[in-house]
Amino acid sequence: MRIARVLFNGSPVWATIVGEDVYRLNDVYGAQERRERLGRLSDLRLLAPAEPKKVICIGLNYALHAAESGKTIPTEPLMFFKPPTALINPGDDITWPIGTNRIDSEAELAVVIRRKAKLIQPDTWREYVLGYTCGNDVSARDWQDADGQWTRAKGFDTSLPLGPWLQTDVDPDNLRIRGYLNGKVRQDSTTADLGHKTGKLVAFVSRFFTLEPGDILMTGTPANPGPMEDGTEYTVEVEGIGRLTNRMRRPQSYFS
Ligand code: MG
């Protein structure tokens, strides 16, 4: 099933996409009952398909990306947070934050949580997943190196584009994942190369943090994430899910 959040009569609505048609979806975290038709997909604005209370991200989880950072995949998954205020919709602009010199886009497979969970047994993790989507872990590289931790570098406003929708029935361990800078391929890998696999990550993070419906897990980026400039566009594409595109915008001035 394909699950989306769309703007309908000015309000966010959970929906399911069937072909080109969009239907209201009642009780998205529960029975998921299909209701009335809302319209055609091309006529509706897509919103980020999650309402997180927290966003847990994994760093250095593809061997080639870890190597280009001068590191190896950590024995235990390396976790960091983004605040929910970092989230933006498909097509929204990424805003260049004040004072950084370099912003990179990172194509990632994202997981959205369906049910409240703590201490998930490794073989039951699928029960807790609402679906999979594309995410962009937008990162200020100079701050990432200089700050000693990644709060500002990876948590600033607009640093988490997510979408275009959730796909429920893909195998997260075998999906081609690509990132395009202005339409040209920069990143090209597969989630088969993830060091710590998606299911293991869902169970692992639930040892430490109670997962809640709508929470997001970002699984890490493959090699060669791309630097962005004012006006450039980055597209994250995950096989079987879709494409997420956002443009970088550098404000003329920050204070009015
Ligand atoms: Mg990342």
Side-chain angles (χ1 to χ4, degrees):
M1 182 162 61
R2 189 162 277 187
I3 297 174
R5 262 176 96 234
V6 300
L7 201 60
F8 185 70
N9 289 341
S11 297
V13 171
W14 281 107
T16 182
I17 301 170
V18 181
E20 280 300 302
D21 295 313
V22 180
Y23 299 84
R24 185 189 298 271
L25 192 64
N26 201 36
D27 192 14
V28 67
Y29 301 113
Q32 299 183 333
E33 295 147 343
R34 181 170 140 180
R35 296 286 169 84
E36 79 273 18
R37 184 177 177 277
L38 300 175
R40 287 177 63 82
L41 179 58
S42 53
D43 295 332
L44 291 163
R45 175 153 159 66
L46 288 165
L47 305 175
E51 304 167 290
K53 291 183 176 167
K54 60 188 163 302
V55 182
I56 304 170
C57 308
I58 307 299
L60 302 173
N61 201 21
Y62 287 82
L64 288 177
H65 175 57
E68 71 188 356
S69 313
K71 302 194 169 81
T72 54
I73 295 175
T75 309
E76 290 200 303
L78 174 66
M79 296 173 285
F80 63 94
F81 281 125
K82 285 178 188 275
T85 44
L87 191 64
I88 58 171
N89 304 310
D92 281 0
D93 286 342
I94 302 161
T95 302
W96 190 282
I98 299 175
T100 182
N101 292 316
R102 176 165 166 164
I103 298 284
D104 280 11
S105 273
E106 298 188 349
E108 304 200 6
L109 173 69
V111 180
V112 175
I113 297 297
R114 181 171 187 169
R115 291 170 49 193
K116 188 169 181 174
K118 173 77 179 174
L119 294 169
I120 294 173
Q121 297 287 339
D123 55 349
T124 65
W125 63 271
R126 285 178 196 277
E127 298 169 23
Y128 299 91
V129 172
L130 181 63
Y132 307 92
T133 191
C134 310
N136 188 342
D137 174 19
V138 183
S139 304
R141 282 285 183 255
D142 49 349
W143 292 343
Q144 192 176 353
D145 295 335
D147 284 358
Q149 40 72 31
W150 300 350
T151 306
R152 174 172 67 153
K154 286 174 171 284
F156 62 86
D157 287 356
T158 73
S159 65
L160 181 56
L162 194 84
W165 43 63
L166 302 176
Q167 194 70 39
T168 62
D169 49 2
V170 291
D171 172 8
D173 292 341
N174 190 24
L175 300 173
R176 192 163 180 191
I177 178 166
R178 280 175 284 194
Y180 303 82
L181 185 69
N182 288 339
K184 286 182 64 178
V185 177
R186 271 205 67 100
Q187 298 183 275
D188 190 352
S189 184
T190 162
T191 59
D193 284 347
L194 275 173
H196 301 287
K197 301 290 190 241
T198 298
K200 176 184 169 179
L201 292 173
V202 172
F204 182 80
V205 299
S206 81
R207 293 188 200 171
F208 316 104
F209 309 108
T210 299
L211 298 178
E212 296 178 276
D215 282 354
I216 299 168
L217 173 67
M218 297 279 283
T219 58
T221 200
N224 205 29
M228 299 187 79
E229 303 294 340
D230 188 23
T232 59
E233 243 179 31
Y234 208 78
T235 298
V236 179
E237 179 180 46
V238 180
E239 178 186 4
I241 299 174
R243 293 161 68 93
L244 166 72
T245 299
N246 298 83
R247 183 181 297 268
M248 169 60 75
R249 187 179 63 85
R250 197 163 186 163
Q252 293 296 310
S253 67
Y254 287 91
F255 304 100
S256 51

